[in-house]
């Protein structure tokens, strides 16, 4: 039975690089791997997954027809895996459809995303993936301000830490990975 995987991390935890590498591992063995992202984040340009170290992968966006779409491709030419970037932006229904790809079509689905937003609240997609995934892995990186493992994302507006604003606000601000201690100290929550 194929599994639904969730690989989560903070900002800068190498998610895009890992998804591109995973896709590459399948395709170099002649195995078809379908790459998807969520349409909410178009920073990478149209339908592309880009990593910070310069790798790039063409992808499609997840729609409500994802199950039928993968099924149709799979019936013509076997699909060995499905990889999904920016999985924190999936809806509950999206995750259910992805789980059907694993359970009914027997194709592994590997999702990558952020666990929490800059206020430390679970994203909807992450919540459902943490509830339903067969395998959950943490991708690790280091705190921007010290040498501990980063577990949280801090929003910087013009370089100043903040924990207010819209959950999804992409573009004019910066996010950095931080440990809980530094998060509290920088936001004067201690
Ligand atoms: Zn720290």
């Amino acid at each position: 039975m194929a599994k639904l995987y969730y690989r989560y991390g903070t900002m800068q935890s190498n998610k895009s690089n890992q998804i591109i590498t995973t896709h590459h591992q399948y395709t170099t063995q002649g195995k078809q791997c379908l790459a998807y992202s969520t349409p909410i984040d178009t920073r990478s340009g149209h339908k592309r997954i880009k990593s910070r170290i310069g790798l790039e992968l063409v992808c499609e966006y997840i729609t409500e027809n994802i199950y039928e779409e993968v099924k149709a491709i799979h019936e013509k030419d076997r699909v060995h895996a499905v990889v999904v970037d920016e999985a924190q932006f999936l809806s509950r229904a999206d995750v259910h459809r992805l789980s059907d790809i694993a359970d009914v079509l027997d194709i592994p689905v590997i999702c990558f995303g952020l666990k929490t937003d800059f206020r430390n609240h679970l994203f909807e997609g992450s919540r459902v993936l943490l509830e339903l995934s067969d395998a959950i892995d943490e991708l690790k990186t280091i705190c921007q301000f010290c040498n501990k493992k980063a577990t949280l994302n801090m929003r910087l507006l013009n370089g100043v830490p903040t924990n207010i604003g819209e959950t999804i606000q992409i573009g004019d601000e910066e996010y950095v990975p931080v440990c809980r201690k530094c998060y509290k100290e920088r936001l004067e929550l201690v």
Side-chain angles (χ1 to χ4, degrees):
M1 179 59 76
K3 288 182 181 172
L4 175 65
Y5 297 82
Y6 189 35
R7 297 187 175 152
Y8 71 87
T10 61
M11 300 299 289
Q12 301 175 24
S13 61
N14 210 18
K15 291 183 295 300
S16 298
N17 193 32
Q18 291 224 9
I19 195 169
I20 295 169
T21 304
T22 301
H23 181 270
H24 182 72
Q25 285 166 340
Y26 278 102
T27 53
T28 50
Q29 292 180 0
K31 295 171 181 164
Q32 182 168 221
C33 177
L34 304 181
Y36 289 91
S37 188
T38 47
I40 204 153
D41 182 359
T42 52
R43 281 175 303 178
S44 301
H46 191 57
K47 294 185 175 178
R48 270 183 171 70
I49 298 167
K50 281 184 179 174
S51 79
R52 287 169 196 271
I53 60 167
L55 301 177
E56 197 174 307
L57 174 65
V58 173
C59 65
E60 291 295 331
Y61 288 143
I62 294 266
T63 69
E64 60 184 22
N65 299 318
I66 181 70
Y67 177 81
E68 289 75 19
E69 202 174 297
V70 172
K71 185 170 185 273
I73 297 169
H74 186 55
E75 280 168 357
K76 279 189 201 148
D77 186 11
R78 184 179 167 189
V79 175
H80 289 77
V82 172
V83 292
V84 181
D85 198 21
E86 305 289 357
Q88 71 273 11
F89 297 134
L90 295 170
S91 68
R92 182 169 287 272
D94 289 332
V95 177
H96 280 274
R97 293 182 195 111
L98 291 171
S99 73
D100 287 342
I101 292 172
D103 297 339
V104 183
L105 303 180
D106 203 22
I107 300 168
V109 178
I110 311 163
C111 299
F112 294 75
L114 296 169
K115 187 174 76 170
T116 53
D117 66 17
F118 66 98
R119 297 168 306 173
N120 308 324
H121 297 167
L122 284 171
F123 282 99
E124 174 71 1
S126 298
R127 179 188 303 279
V128 188
L129 282 162
L130 291 169
E131 289 167 356
L132 294 184
S133 294
D134 302 290
I136 297 167
D137 297 304
E138 182 184 29
L139 306 176
K140 297 179 181 68
T141 192
I142 305 154
C143 173
Q144 178 92 355
F145 303 111
C146 71
N147 271 325
K148 281 196 231 167
K149 185 180 84 172
T151 53
L152 307 175
N153 298 300
M154 178 180 279
R155 175 184 276 180
L156 301 177
L157 264 181
N158 302 317
V160 180
T162 179
N163 60 355
I164 55 169
E166 297 296 314
T167 305
I168 299 165
Q169 185 180 335
I170 294 162
D172 58 354
E173 73 287 288
E174 190 191 349
Y175 294 91
V176 290
V178 296
C179 73
R180 187 178 59 231
K181 185 168 183 283
C182 288
Y183 184 94
K184 288 196 280 191
E185 284 174 3
R186 304 276 156 163
L187 283 161
E188 297 176 349
L189 300 175
V190 286

